[in-house]
Amino acid sequence: MWLNGIDHIQVTSPPEVENAMLFFYNQVLGLSEITKPDAFQGNGGAWYLLGNIQIHIGIEKQANNEISRRHICFRVHNLESFAKHIQSHGVEIISDRPLSGYNRFFIRDPGGNRIEIAELN
């Protein structure tokens, strides 16, 4: 097997919601920000860490994320509590068809990126 893991995931955001994106990933989702390499410091956005996987927020003028079904899936230990937490920040929960073995829902970040939130059952 050639692949042995995921190093990072990048999501994009239009410049006009950059601050909302950074607040969402850092404060609402609770991810730890990490320092970007010097070569990327002037590009905007931010990098975060979850376990050993990095999540990069990149700034794109025409991100057009609102219509895409591509997504990241984050697992949680208590879906109901997490739902209440994100709703307290005004995040809309989007239902989807059931998936065997999971309780789940979707949300969209301020840049329109689709995110699945799942709990194993």
Side-chain angles (χ1 to χ4, degrees), residues 26-98:
N26 185 251
Q27 299 298 313
V28 177
L29 296 184
L31 297 177
S32 299
E33 187 172 355
I34 58 175
T35 303
K36 296 191 299 182
D38 290 342
F40 296 101
Q41 288 293 325
N43 295 350
W47 290 11
Y48 298 95
L49 191 62
L50 178 62
N52 63 352
I53 298 174
Q54 295 180 19
I55 297 152
H56 299 176
I57 308 301
I59 305 304
E60 280 185 13
K61 289 184 180 172
Q62 296 179 357
N64 197 22
N65 296 318
E66 294 80 9
I67 60 172
S68 178
R69 291 188 51 82
R70 71 180 174 268
H71 63 277
I72 300 171
C73 179
F74 291 115
R75 280 193 287 187
V76 296
H77 295 291
N78 187 320
L79 190 69
E80 186 178 327
S81 291
F82 188 74
K84 289 177 184 175
H85 165 71
I86 61 173
Q87 286 175 318
S88 75
H89 288 279
V91 177
E92 177 187 356
I93 291 178
I94 305 163
S95 298
D96 202 71
R97 61 188 156 221

